[in-house]
Amino acid sequence: MQFSAVTAGISMALQLPYFMGLVFTLVSFGLLFVVNKKADTASGVFWVFAFTGLMGAGLGPLLNHYAQLPNGPMLIMQALGSTALIFFGLSAYALNTKKDFSFMGGFLTVGLIVVIVASIVNIFLGSSLMFMVLNAAVVLIMSGLILFDTSRIINGGETNYIRATVSLYLSVYNLFTSLTHFELASDELNLSSLWQQLADKNINLMLCVTAAEKRGLDMQNTGVFAVAGLAEFAMLASEADKWIQFK
């Protein structure tokens, strides 16, 4: 995890573009098969470092994007703290009770399949609420997998330390990313609700088309905001008794 955090930090410092993050993630998925094949050999440790390093590097551009959003850095830190609490809390519970959680394997597998299918469907639906629900579901599934994996290690269900390490790493990685997505989507949903409340009070909400296009905003989905050209926006601002600018 520490090596993955280092590569994520390097990726953020270099401000790598989003597509590079996608490339790193896809390559790391390919390395996952190599790690599994080399798990019983001396070179297995090297491939684990290569895999976790690329996964961390792939996460960097996404974290940079989220960090630039309002409350982004704070929400990322909240997700990181929540991930640590969940992981250490569940691991400590499994270690102390030594309970066998292998019975959860089938339920967790089915849950993952359902989430993957629903995520593909939501690509076409584009529902923010469904996005939040899916990430909440992933948080629950990954929490279950932490219990499952830790239990297998304790009770001898998994004796290969490389496979055990990778399994736990993936659970923690997906737990963190899902918590981050959920926190930011929840914050965005609250902000959208606030805009709607202002619109319901007959407060005019204007969006400058020039600024919006410069920032790559979707002009087909402006919600409660009315779109105005730069000249019109300046005229309306000069006539208003009070106006607030959000950057």
Side-chain angles (χ1 to χ4, degrees):
M1 288 299 298
Q2 292 178 342
F3 183 64
S4 189
V6 169
T7 57
I10 293 173
S11 178
M12 293 179 70
L14 294 175
Q15 296 186 342
L16 297 179
Y18 188 78
F19 83 91
M20 283 300 297
L22 182 61
V23 170
F24 285 141
T25 302
L26 291 175
V27 173
S28 64
F29 284 152
L31 282 181
L32 191 56
F33 295 98
V34 179
V35 170
N36 187 58
K37 185 177 180 180
K38 299 290 185 178
D40 297 311
T41 66
S43 63
V45 175
F46 166 79
W47 291 109
V48 168
F49 274 96
F51 168 70
T52 56
L54 282 175
M55 288 290 283
L59 188 60
L62 180 65
L63 292 179
N64 264 342
H65 170 71
Y66 280 161
Q68 294 171 6
L69 299 177
N71 298 324
M74 180 188 69
L75 294 174
I76 291 173
M77 293 307 297
Q78 285 180 359
L80 185 61
S82 298
T83 300
L85 285 174
I86 292 171
F87 173 69
F88 288 115
L90 292 176
S91 296
Y93 176 76
L95 284 167
N96 288 327
T97 63
K98 293 183 171 56
K99 185 176 179 180
D100 186 4
F101 290 98
S102 59
F103 68 91
M104 298 173 60
F107 297 105
L108 295 171
T109 301
V110 172
L112 276 175
I113 294 172
V114 171
V115 166
I116 291 171
V117 172
S119 298
I120 294 172
V121 171
N122 198 43
I123 292 175
F124 302 99
L125 295 179
S127 170
S128 298
L129 181 59
M130 189 173 179
F131 180 75
M132 285 183 61
V133 171
L134 288 172
N135 279 286
V138 172
V139 168
L140 293 175
I141 292 170
M142 292 305 134
S143 299
L145 282 171
I146 289 172
L147 279 174
F148 176 78
D149 291 332
T150 306
S151 172
R152 291 185 68 214
I153 295 169
I154 295 170
N155 296 301
E158 179 58 81
T159 56
N160 185 288
Y161 72 95
I162 289 179
R163 292 193 180 95
T165 300
V166 171
S167 295
L168 276 176
Y169 170 84
L170 285 172
S171 297
V172 174
Y173 180 94
N174 287 310
L175 176 63
F176 169 67
T177 54
S178 294
L179 279 170
T180 305
H181 293 323
F182 181 83
E183 293 272 4
L184 288 160
S186 178
D187 189 65
E188 183 179 338
L189 193 63
N190 291 335
L191 189 59
S192 298
S193 176
L194 176 60
W195 295 140
Q196 188 61 56
Q197 291 176 28
L198 292 174
D200 292 340
K201 294 179 181 179
N202 296 320
I203 296 176
N204 294 326
L205 300 173
M206 306 297 297
L207 179 66
C208 177
V209 64
T210 304
E213 290 178 345
K214 182 180 178 180
R215 289 165 174 78
L217 299 180
D218 182 9
M219 299 306 297
Q220 302 299 320
N221 185 24
T222 57
V224 295
F225 286 84
V227 178
L230 185 59
E232 182 184 0
F233 189 84
M235 182 185 68
L236 291 170
S238 65
E239 294 176 353
D241 57 346
K242 182 184 292 185
W243 60 286
I244 303 174
Q245 179 182 5
F246 296 90
K247 295 184 179 179

